[in-house]
């Protein structure tokens, strides 16, 4: 791009106001972080109820219940001028509770509680459409249900769809004239794609029907009186159902003032799907707006296998593979590895598309399925078949970067916050480079900086230091945000930034101070969206920022390999273990203390305080709390510190009749030792621990082998991809042969690769490509 790119910005909303921060370039883990800007801009000071950002990142809309909805211009460097404003952008907007922007940011849709019948403003309705440019009221509807999904715009904002009883009315967005309607008995909801990218692989033939002014939508009709629910895929204006119609103006009339309006009947819908187990439907559109994923859910599982209900996943296509004039609907085939025995009902945890329409070939989608540990997989965007398996882990979220290159499989919410960073193009976890600190006493030289590369999957998987509430990729796909916010978590509020390889950006390199928002002041944190590319740039690239691969290390840095790398990695692991262990020892117990026992200074007098409730007291009670907050104890437990959770579980030890019961740690009862001495018990405990460790290691090795075999089988499902990989390996073998012919000594890996040549050539011949 000719003009300089906009910097990456983040918007924080706390209990004290709304602030805007600019993030320095910290995308490379091997290079030192850039110096952050000092502080941020305060967009609004005071208590707020919600905020929203325009899709192109040009403005932020902040709602204060005592003022109304306020607009802050983010495209101007003087955005902080809105700090002291008390003039609302929308008139009479104090009662607004929900708001959203149209796909291109030209309009605002707001909802507020229906006003009293005697109110003079009741005629305007409570679901209102505003101009995002000047705040003028354009249209209003009545809507009792607290939702904004009854009014939706097309991706180019040419038409507006409004759902009413048994119908969906279609308006022209510029003048709100009715241009059509969709007739669907019992329709409860509908969905329109908010983005539509151009397929770079499709060549438009001369005379081929264009879909520029045609828009896909899905409608959902719940099941009633024993009838199944139904989802229809329709297309405006020609395939909306036989009872629907579109309205056009007859421009061929003789007089310009006497133009007639003609209702054109519409044809049958593209495709439909009956759903026997569907109470709710979540629609995910592909970035090219030619396919949709349906994630259905019921509150009760009729099979009795799940307490949380049942889920199913379907794929709807605009054009059937065999007959492009109609659409198709199918059940997404899940990998057999999603269940331990390869059978039974498989719950769907998450499903979403790769968001970049400009990628080569068919746009795939990702699915996380199965019971924990769940299986993450990639699927073909037309056939739905699995093409790649990420493996099993305790993960419930798959976040894909805007360019579709990097993927994060995370376990958030009630899970521990583990994260795996993958490169989709390479099909591998992203290696992480750790820059080693120079030892004290050595002179700092530019060419003496060393780093080590972490490649093992067990070391690449990381866990967030605090519970994850919010998570989001940056618009340039180089950094990943995780946040802990209130009211979901009322402790340890803050924002942490990870690079695309999973490494954490040091807090000293961030423009904000997380201590400012602790313990429970941060309400939300998110990236400001990137500007829309110009029309010429959008034809070449869908996103504002370019798609960048993994960054190479700086040339002046030296990578440690072999024994030196192993020693450095072991040293890093030891330092992390020592740090975790030291943190556990310094933890202070914090049991509940009754109000009457809380005495300043801890002197004499007052009510009795139990030993476990005395801060800093020694003995078993001091280690029982393990930290002042629940988040600290969870973090210490994840870091491997068992000292903070020891002696929490207790058993009752019964004495003689009439004697007081004694509470002690598990295993402390002398009545259950079978008469064995302490040494015998210790040896037996060590033997059992050793057997358990060996059994777990064997099971882990078997699981890895099964996953590797399943991954190879999934790759074979795409013969062209497999053939490409085989040719690449054969080329490497030819290079190894030439090195051996020149007298170069080969290592063990190269010799092992040479032995696979015959097998690979036979497999390539069997593919018949």
């Amino acid at each position: 791009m000719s003009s300089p790119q906009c910097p990456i910005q983040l918007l924080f909303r706390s209990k004290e106001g709304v602030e805007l921060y600019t993030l320095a370039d910290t995308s490379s883990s091997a290079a030192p972080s850039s110096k952050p800007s000092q502080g941020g801009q305060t967009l609004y000071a005071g208590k707020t109820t919600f905020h929203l950002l325009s899709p192109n990142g040009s403005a932020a809309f902040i709602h204060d219940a005592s003022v109304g909805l306020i607009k802050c211009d983010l495209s101007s460097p003087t955005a902080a001028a809105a700090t002291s404003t008390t003039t609302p952008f929308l008139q009479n907007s104090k009662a607004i509770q929900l708001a959203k922007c149209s796909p291109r940011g030209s309009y605002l849709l707001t909802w507020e509680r229906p006003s009293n019948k005697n109110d003079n403003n009741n005629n305007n309705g409570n679901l209102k459409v505003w101009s995002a440019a000047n705040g003028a009221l354009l249209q209003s509807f009545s809507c009792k249900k607290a939702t904004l999904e009854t009014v939706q715009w097309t991706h180019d904002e040419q038409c507006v769809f409004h759902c009413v009883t048994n119908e969906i009315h279609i308006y022209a967005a510029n003048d709100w004239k009715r241009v059509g309607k969709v007739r669907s008995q019992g329709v409860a909801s509908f969905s329109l794609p908010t983005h539509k990218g151009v397929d770079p692989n499709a060549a438009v033939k001369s005379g081929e029907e264009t879909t520029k002014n045609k828009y896909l939508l899905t409608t959902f009709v719940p099941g009633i009186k024993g009838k199944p629910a139904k989802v229809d895929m329709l297309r405006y204006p020609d395939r909306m159902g036989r009872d629907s119609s579109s309205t056009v103006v007859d421009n061929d009339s003789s007089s310009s003032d006497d133009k007639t309006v003609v209702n054109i009947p519409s044809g049958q819908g593209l495709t439909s799907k009956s759903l026997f187990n569907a109470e709710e439907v979540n629609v995910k559109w592909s970035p090219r707006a030619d396919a949709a994923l349906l994630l259905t859910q019921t509150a009760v599982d009729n099979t009795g296998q799940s307490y949380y209900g049942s889920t199913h996943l379907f794929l709807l296509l605009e054009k059937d593979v065999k007959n492009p004039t109609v659409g198709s609907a199918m059940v997404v085939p899940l990998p057999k590895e999603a269940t331990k025995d390869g059978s039974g009902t498989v719950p769907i945890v998450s499903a979403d598309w790769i968001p970049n329409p400009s990628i080569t070939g068919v746009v795939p989608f990702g699915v996380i399925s199965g019971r924990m540990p769940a299986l993450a997989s990639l699927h073909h965007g037309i056939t739905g078949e699995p093409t790649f398996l990420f493996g099993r882990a305790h993960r419930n979220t798959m976040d894909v970067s805007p360019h579709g290159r990097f993927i994060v499989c995370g376990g958030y919410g009630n899970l521990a916050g583990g994260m795996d960073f993958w490169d989709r193009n390479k099909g591998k976890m992203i290696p992480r480079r750790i820059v080693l600190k120079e030892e004290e006493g050595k002179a700092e030289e530019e060419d003496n900086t060393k780093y080590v590369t972490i490649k093992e999957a067990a070391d690449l998987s990381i866990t967030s230091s605090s519970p994850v509430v919010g998570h989001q990729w940056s618009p340039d796909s180089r950094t990943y945000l995780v946040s802990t916010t209130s009211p979901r978590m009322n402790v340890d509020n803050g924002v942490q930034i990870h690079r695309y390889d999973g490494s954490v950006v040091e807090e000293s390199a961030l423009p904000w101070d997380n201590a400012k928002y602790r313990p429970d002041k941060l309400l939300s944190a998110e990236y400001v969206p990137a500007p829309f590319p110009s029309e010429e740039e959008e034809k070449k690239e869908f996103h504002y920022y370019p798609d960048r691969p993994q960054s190479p290390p700086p040339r002046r840095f030296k990578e440690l390999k072999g024994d030196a790398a192993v020693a450095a990695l072991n040293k890093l692991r030891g330092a992390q273990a020592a740090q975790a262990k030291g943190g556990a020892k310094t933890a202070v117990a914090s049991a509940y203390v009754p109000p009457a026992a809380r005495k300043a200074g801890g002197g004499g007098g007052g009510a009795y305080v139990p030993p476990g409730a005395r801060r800093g007291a020694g003995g078993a009670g001091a280690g029982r709390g393990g930290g002042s907050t629940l988040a600290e104890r969870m973090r210490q437990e994840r870091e491997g510190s068992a000292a903070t959770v020891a002696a929490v579980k207790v058993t009752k030890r019964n004495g003689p009749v009439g004697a007081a019961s004694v509470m002690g740690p598990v295993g402390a009862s002398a009545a259950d030792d079978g008469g064995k001495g302490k040494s015998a018990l210790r040896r037996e405990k060590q033997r059992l621990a050793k057997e358990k460790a060996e059994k777990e290691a064997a099971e882990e090795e078997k699981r890895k082998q099964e996953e590797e075999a399943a991954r190879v089988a999934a790759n074979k499902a795409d013969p062209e991809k497999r053939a490409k990989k085989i040719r690449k390996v054969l080329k490497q073998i030819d290079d190894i042969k030439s090195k051996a012919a020149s007298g170069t000594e080969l290592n063990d890996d190269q010799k092992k690769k040479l032995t696979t040549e015959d097998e690979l050539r036979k497999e390539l011949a069997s593919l018949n490509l």
Side-chain angles (χ1 to χ4, degrees):
M1 299 183 181
S2 57
S3 59
Q5 295 181 355
C6 296
I8 301 297
Q9 294 180 319
L10 299 95
L11 190 76
F12 286 22
R13 186 171 69 88
S14 66
K15 295 180 179 180
E16 298 176 352
V18 180
E19 296 170 312
L20 182 69
Y21 294 98
T22 301
L23 188 65
D25 184 13
T26 56
S27 60
S28 177
S29 59
S33 303
S34 303
K35 185 177 181 181
S37 58
Q38 298 297 326
Q41 291 180 322
T42 301
L43 300 182
Y44 188 80
K47 186 178 180 181
T48 58
T49 53
F50 68 86
H51 79 279
L52 69 153
L53 292 166
S54 60
N56 60 354
S58 62
F61 299 92
I62 304 169
H63 185 261
D64 187 338
S66 62
V67 178
L69 195 68
I70 301 167
K71 180 180 180 180
C72 298
D73 186 9
L74 302 183
S75 60
S76 172
T78 59
T83 304
S84 59
T85 182
T86 57
T87 304
F89 178 66
L90 304 181
Q91 297 298 323
N92 301 323
S93 57
K94 295 181 181 180
I96 291 178
Q97 296 186 0
L98 301 175
K100 75 172 183 180
C101 292
S102 59
R104 305 293 295 183
S106 303
Y107 306 98
L108 284 173
L109 180 66
T110 63
W111 182 90
E112 57 190 68
R113 289 186 181 275
S115 58
N116 195 355
K117 295 182 179 180
N118 297 327
D119 195 341
N120 295 329
N121 296 329
N122 187 49
N123 297 330
N124 293 332
N126 62 316
L127 186 65
K128 302 178 182 180
V129 180
W130 313 77
S131 171
N134 53 22
L137 180 63
L138 303 178
Q139 187 61 275
S140 62
F141 305 97
S142 295
C143 181
K144 294 182 180 180
K145 188 176 180 181
T147 179
L148 298 173
E149 300 305 316
T150 57
V151 175
Q152 298 182 34
W153 282 264
T154 56
H155 66 276
D156 55 2
E157 296 183 350
Q158 294 297 315
C159 298
V160 186
F161 289 64
H162 177 220
C163 184
V164 296
T165 304
N166 298 329
E167 288 184 349
I168 299 176
H169 296 167
I170 307 172
Y171 301 89
N174 55 353
D175 55 6
W176 287 91
K177 291 183 178 180
R178 180 86 69 84
V179 294
K181 70 174 182 179
V182 177
R183 178 70 182 177
S184 180
Q185 187 68 29
V187 60
S189 62
F190 72 101
S191 177
L192 285 168
T194 57
H195 300 86
K196 185 176 182 179
V198 179
D199 184 0
N201 313 298
V204 181
K205 299 179 181 179
S206 59
E208 186 177 358
E209 185 181 10
T210 178
T211 59
K212 182 178 180 181
N213 295 324
K214 296 182 179 180
Y215 310 100
L216 292 184
L217 71 149
T218 60
T219 60
F220 172 62
V221 179
I224 53 173
K225 296 182 180 179
K227 294 183 179 180
K230 186 178 69 169
V231 172
D232 293 325
M233 175 176 275
L234 310 175
R235 186 173 64 196
Y236 172 80
D238 58 338
R239 303 293 294 274
M240 299 188 299
R242 299 193 182 278
D243 296 334
S244 306
S245 63
S246 59
T247 304
V248 297
V249 178
D250 187 7
N251 294 322
D252 297 334
S253 57
S254 58
S255 175
S256 59
D257 298 332
D258 191 21
K259 294 183 179 181
T260 58
V261 177
V262 181
N263 290 327
I264 302 178
S266 180
Q268 66 179 3
L270 294 173
T271 185
S272 64
K273 183 66 178 178
S274 297
L275 307 173
F276 290 89
N277 292 314
E279 297 176 359
E280 297 179 3
V281 173
N282 189 10
V283 182
K284 303 289 184 69
W285 286 95
S286 72
R288 295 173 185 168
D290 57 356
L293 287 173
L294 301 181
L295 182 58
T296 65
Q297 186 173 2
T298 58
V300 179
D301 185 7
N302 296 329
T303 63
Q305 296 184 7
S306 175
Y307 172 80
Y308 300 98
S310 61
T311 54
H312 299 84
L313 186 63
F314 303 91
L315 176 62
L316 302 184
L317 300 176
E318 179 186 11
K319 296 181 180 180
D320 185 65
V321 178
K322 298 180 179 180
N323 186 6
T325 59
V326 296
S328 64
M330 69 186 76
V331 179
V332 175
L334 299 175
K336 293 183 179 180
E337 296 79 10
T339 55
K340 295 181 180 179
D341 56 357
S343 62
T345 304
V346 181
I348 309 297
V349 181
S350 174
D352 210 345
W353 292 88
I354 302 299
N356 188 1
S358 303
I359 63 176
T360 304
V362 179
V363 178
F365 59 90
V367 179
I368 300 180
S369 57
R371 292 175 176 82
M372 294 297 166
L375 178 67
S377 56
L378 284 179
H379 293 249
H380 196 273
I382 295 179
T383 63
E385 294 289 339
T387 58
F388 184 81
L389 302 180
F390 294 95
R392 283 186 170 276
H394 287 79
R395 305 289 183 261
N396 59 5
T397 303
M398 182 180 293
D399 281 340
V400 187
S401 63
H403 298 86
R405 180 181 293 270
F406 306 126
I407 297 177
V408 174
C409 295
Y412 306 140
N414 294 331
L415 299 182
M419 292 177 283
D420 301 325
F421 289 77
W422 289 78
D423 189 325
R424 185 187 62 85
N425 293 359
K426 296 183 178 181
K428 297 179 181 179
M429 292 186 70
I430 304 175
R432 190 178 307 123
R433 302 183 185 94
I434 304 297
V435 179
L436 303 177
K437 297 181 179 179
E438 296 295 335
E439 297 181 3
E440 296 182 2
K442 290 187 177 182
E444 295 184 359
E445 300 178 2
E446 292 186 358
D447 57 352
N448 197 30
T449 304
K450 300 177 183 179
Y451 69 93
V452 63
T453 303
I454 301 176
K455 299 180 180 179
E456 295 295 332
D459 295 330
L460 291 175
S461 181
I462 61 176
T463 303
S464 176
S465 59
S466 26
V468 177
V469 178
H471 45 90
Q472 182 188 12
W473 276 101
S474 63
D476 62 350
S477 301
R478 306 303 290 179
T479 55
Y480 184 71
L481 173 149
V482 292
S483 62
T484 304
T485 57
S486 178
R488 176 66 177 82
M489 292 298 296
N490 291 323
V491 291
D492 287 353
N493 282 191
V495 177
Q496 197 175 53
I497 301 296
H498 293 262
R499 301 180 182 90
Y500 65 88
D501 60 355
S503 58
V504 181
V505 178
E506 301 82 0
E507 288 199 7
S508 59
L510 300 177
W512 62 86
D513 184 9
N514 284 325
K516 175 182 177 182
Y517 302 104
R518 289 174 184 151
D520 60 347
K521 295 182 180 179
L522 187 62
L523 299 175
S524 65
E526 61 178 314
Y527 283 106
V528 175
F532 292 140
S534 61
E535 294 183 1
E536 296 181 357
E537 294 171 342
E538 194 170 2
K539 295 179 181 178
K540 302 178 183 178
E541 192 172 359
F542 183 73
H543 296 89
Y544 173 80
Y545 295 98
D547 183 14
R548 295 168 54 191
Q550 300 179 30
S551 300
R555 294 182 178 179
R556 67 179 185 274
F557 287 8
K558 181 180 179 181
E559 182 181 7
L560 296 181
K561 297 182 179 180
D563 296 338
V566 173
L569 289 174
N570 291 334
K571 186 176 180 181
L572 289 173
R573 295 190 188 101
Q576 292 176 356
Q579 183 179 3
K581 186 176 181 181
K585 289 183 178 180
T586 57
V588 180
S590 178
Y592 172 74
V593 181
R598 298 170 187 169
K599 282 286 184 178
Y608 169 74
V609 181
R614 298 171 185 170
R615 291 186 175 272
R624 192 168 298 180
S628 59
T629 64
L630 174 61
E632 291 179 6
R633 294 197 292 273
M634 291 173 61
R635 179 164 61 250
Q636 291 165 0
E637 183 177 357
R638 287 195 299 266
E639 292 171 351
S641 175
T644 60
V645 294
V648 171
K649 185 176 180 181
V650 295
T651 58
K652 180 178 291 187
R653 189 169 54 192
N654 297 322
V657 177
S661 298
V662 182
M663 307 297 289
V666 173
S669 177
D672 299 332
D673 58 7
K676 297 180 181 180
K678 293 183 178 180
S679 300
L681 290 173
R682 182 171 63 253
R683 288 194 299 270
E684 183 179 1
K685 185 177 180 181
Q686 292 174 353
R687 181 181 60 81
L688 293 175
K690 183 179 179 181
E691 291 178 356
K692 182 179 180 182
E694 291 175 352
K695 183 179 179 180
E696 291 178 351
E699 291 177 353
E700 181 70 15
E701 183 66 24
K702 182 179 178 181
R703 184 182 64 82
K704 288 183 179 179
Q705 292 177 359
E706 291 176 353
E707 289 185 357
E708 183 65 24
R711 187 178 289 109
V712 172
N715 291 337
K716 288 182 179 179
D718 192 345
E720 294 182 358
K721 182 177 180 180
R722 179 61 181 168
K724 183 178 179 181
K725 186 174 182 179
I726 292 175
R727 294 190 186 99
K728 181 179 179 181
V729 177
L730 290 175
K731 184 179 178 182
Q732 294 174 354
I733 292 175
D734 294 337
D735 295 339
I736 294 174
K737 285 182 177 181
S738 60
K739 291 181 180 179
S742 62
T744 304
E745 185 177 357
L746 304 180
N747 56 30
D748 294 339
D749 292 338
Q750 292 173 332
K751 293 178 181 178
K752 185 177 179 180
K753 185 172 289 188
L754 287 176
T755 59
T756 62
E757 181 180 6
D758 296 337
E759 183 180 353
L760 291 175
R761 294 192 183 278
K762 290 180 182 180
E763 184 180 354
L764 182 61
S766 64
L767 295 177
N768 297 325
L769 295 177

